[in-house]
Amino acid sequence: MSATSVGILALVVGIAVFSVQDLILKQLSGDYPLHQAMVLRSCVALPFHLAIVWWFDGRLTTITTPGWWKMLARGLLGFVAYTAYYLGLATMPMADTVALFFTGPLFITIAAAVLLGERVSPVAAVAVAAGFAGVLLIVKPGTAGFEVAALLPILGALGYGLSMVAARPLGRTETAAAMAFWGNLCFLLCALALSAVYGSGQLADASHPSLAFLTRGWVTPGLTDLALMAACGVIAAVGLTLLTNAYRVAPSSTIAPFEYSFMFWAVLWGWLIWGELPDPVGWLGIAVIIGAGLVVIRRS
């Protein structure tokens, strides 16, 4: 099997693994707070991330370079991105949430042009505009079908895009494994901070599913739910290892489009577990966003 085939296989399997984490967190969002799940997930993932650093970098000193604070700051962008995404997932259908989060490549293109001075081709510019038109088809602003939580995965995509752009200059001096370690550590610290604010449950707000997922106090989980939260840490570490290896052995321009295989799992899980399927306009919006993202990735 060629290196490119190995890379594609690793990425597709990694995406499938990550989709299970989304499934678990959406399933738990009605009973537990997000910060509790994040604390447990990050604690479980921490030793795995250290092992990943050792495996890919050959030593642990890559996490103690002078640029550690920059990697931690980038981790904060990732925390904002995924917190917004998961809060949206608590309210929105899984397929719609994932599709809106996949505007990330569009934000990466814009941020790279504005912050790094990268040239955007006319075709890529049209694709970005088309992608945001697809967002409007899913979000349906100004209609009875508008859900304010739909803005959360878009905010998540913006944070994700900025974190990916920040990774480019960092990648000249830091390793991907070290950046992932500091990202996970930032998740843990930020989740602990949220738990300090909302963990008692005194500020809980159940007026909206996303608000409830953010502000609910800590709940003593049963063994099954505790195992599911802990599994998210293992899933994150395994998925990250697969994705890191995929981009290590194969050209990113070749394998990046396969990240959109996530949409298959989002639709499948949403349909099997919650009976959710996009309406015809939603399907059109999803297709436009994916098409625009693929054009942007190929042009990049």
Side-chain angles (χ1 to χ4, degrees), residues 50 52-63 65 175 177:
L50 286 171
I52 291 170
V53 173
W54 179 268
W55 178 265
F56 284 103
D57 298 347
R59 62 191 192 281
L60 294 179
T61 54
T62 55
I63 65 177
T65 64
T175 67

Side-chain angles (χ1 to χ4, degrees), residues 121-135:
S121 70
V123 173
V126 171
V128 169
F132 285 115
V135 168

Side-chain angles (χ1 to χ4, degrees), residues 69-171:
W69 65 272
K70 296 179 182 178
M71 293 187 281
L72 189 64
R74 177 180 174 269
L76 182 59
L77 286 172
F79 176 79
V80 171
Y82 284 100
T83 298
Y85 169 72
Y86 286 123
L87 291 177
L89 191 63
T91 301
M92 297 280 293
M94 197 168 180
D96 290 351
T97 308
V98 171
L100 292 173
F101 190 74
F102 270 133
T103 55
L106 311 183
F107 283 115
I108 290 173
T109 300
I110 296 171
V114 174
L115 300 177
L116 301 181
E118 294 186 5
R119 180 180 174 274
V120 179
S121 70
V123 173
V126 171
V128 169
F132 285 115
V135 168
L136 295 178
L137 291 174
I138 295 176
V139 175
K140 303 179 180 70
T143 70
F146 173 70
E147 167 58 64
V148 68
L151 301 178
L152 289 168
I154 300 173
L155 173 62
L158 174 60
Y160 173 79
L162 291 174
S163 72
M164 291 300 104
V165 171
R168 294 186 185 179
L170 273 176

